[in-house]
Amino acid sequence: MTLKQIKKGIKFKMNNNLQKLEFNKVLDILSSFCVTDNGKKLALELLPSSMEVKKLLAETEEAVNLSYRNSFPSFYEFSDISYSIKSLQNGSTLNCPAILNLNTILKTANELKNYFNKDFIDITEYPILAELFNSLYSNINIIETIDKSIIDEFTISDDASPELKSIRRKQKSLEQDIRKTLNNIIHSSNSKYLQDNIITIRNDRFVIPVKEEYRSQIKGFVHDVSNAGSTLFIEPISIFELNNEINQLKIEEEIEIEKILQNLTSLFYPYIEELKVDFNI
């Protein structure tokens, strides 16, 4: 019998014994207490270990005693970072969700360090846990910068850069001018030509719904037609240049957001190894 066959036989026998012990049910219960997906995965992959069991029991005892002394620490949910780490190593720019996820890891590390470094805790009583807590890396400057710059997974804050704030201020001003001009049309004698007294958007341009039979009464550009063909969505000539200006500002906004994401991503470049350690701990 070869060594490979022996190992295979031992593995089969162990798996069979674990099934009889309903070890999988124990792991299911354990994983239900995990906050992160990676934590659940690690819990479900655990196997009995005669070599590690004493250390693990000691570690667990320390954790129980610490929780009695200082309640339970806070944990945030965060996703796997392997793809983000590869992107950082390649010098690529991360998107908002990825940046927020890395920032959450730094926040978690920061809260855990604060949790463990309370004045009433004697860290010499927790030598195993102290090694873990002391290995955590956090960076308040990065945390505060990202919190100021990103509102959620889809939104960059106006405060992310002076340029972005200026661009968006100009956009709002132009939108107000457009709405004012279109409202004048809606509430004038031209209102009888409209299907509804509303302002809407088609092809990223502000338009008004005009009855098909009155097409020639509103000078402008048709951007869409209703399913029945009875309504034309027309951009009046009077707001043509304003719409152009807004679309140009949107392009400038996208360029500025890309710059912001590049700058925020670059904050993590020097700390790739620290992020890996934080994630694993």
Side-chain angles (χ1 to χ4, degrees), residues 75-201:
F75 287 98
Y76 296 100
E77 290 189 39
F78 48 82
S79 305
D80 184 81
I81 64 169
S82 54
Y83 183 80
S84 296
I85 292 298
K86 287 180 180 178
S87 296
L88 291 175
Q89 291 171 332
N90 293 331
S92 303
T93 299
L94 301 177
N95 58 21
C96 281
I99 291 173
L100 288 175
N101 190 51
L102 293 181
N103 200 42
T104 298
I105 291 173
L106 291 181
K107 284 183 177 180
T108 303
N110 186 61
E111 293 210 7
L112 289 173
K113 290 175 78 69
N114 290 336
Y115 166 86
F116 192 63
N117 292 322
K118 298 286 178 63
D119 292 337
F120 56 82
I121 294 178
D122 182 359
I123 62 175
T124 61
E125 296 179 14
Y126 313 100
I128 300 175
L129 292 182
E131 183 178 349
L132 293 174
F133 279 104
N134 292 333
S135 297
L136 290 168
Y137 174 80
S138 184
N139 190 311
I140 294 298
N141 290 331
I142 292 178
I143 292 171
E144 291 179 348
T145 299
I146 292 174
D147 282 347
K148 183 187 78 170
S149 302
I150 301 180
I151 295 175
D152 56 39
E153 292 186 349
F154 309 100
T155 314
I156 298 291
S157 169
D158 292 355
D159 295 325
S161 77
E163 291 80 6
L164 184 63
K165 180 176 284 188
S166 174
I167 290 169
R168 287 179 172 172
R169 188 183 297 117
K170 291 175 184 176
Q171 283 181 339
K172 290 177 182 177
S173 178
L174 284 171
E175 285 184 12
Q176 289 174 354
D177 291 342
I178 289 174
R179 290 185 181 278
K180 182 178 179 181
T181 300
L182 293 180
N183 276 322
N184 288 337
I185 295 175
I186 287 173
H187 297 102
S188 70
S189 58
N190 290 320
S191 62
K192 60 180 176 288
Y193 305 133
L194 305 181
Q195 195 70 260
D196 295 293
N197 291 335
I198 61 171
I199 298 170
T200 186
I201 294 176

Side-chain angles (χ1 to χ4, degrees), residues 24-55:
N24 62 312
K25 292 186 178 180
V26 177
L27 297 185
D28 285 338
I29 295 171
L30 175 64
S31 68
S32 70
F33 291 97
C34 298
V35 174
T36 66
D37 290 337
N38 197 61
K40 293 178 189 293
K41 179 175 180 289
L42 291 173
L44 292 171
E45 291 175 351
L46 284 172
L47 290 172
S49 170
S50 58
M51 296 178 62
E52 287 291 318
V53 67
K54 289 184 179 180
K55 179 184 177 182

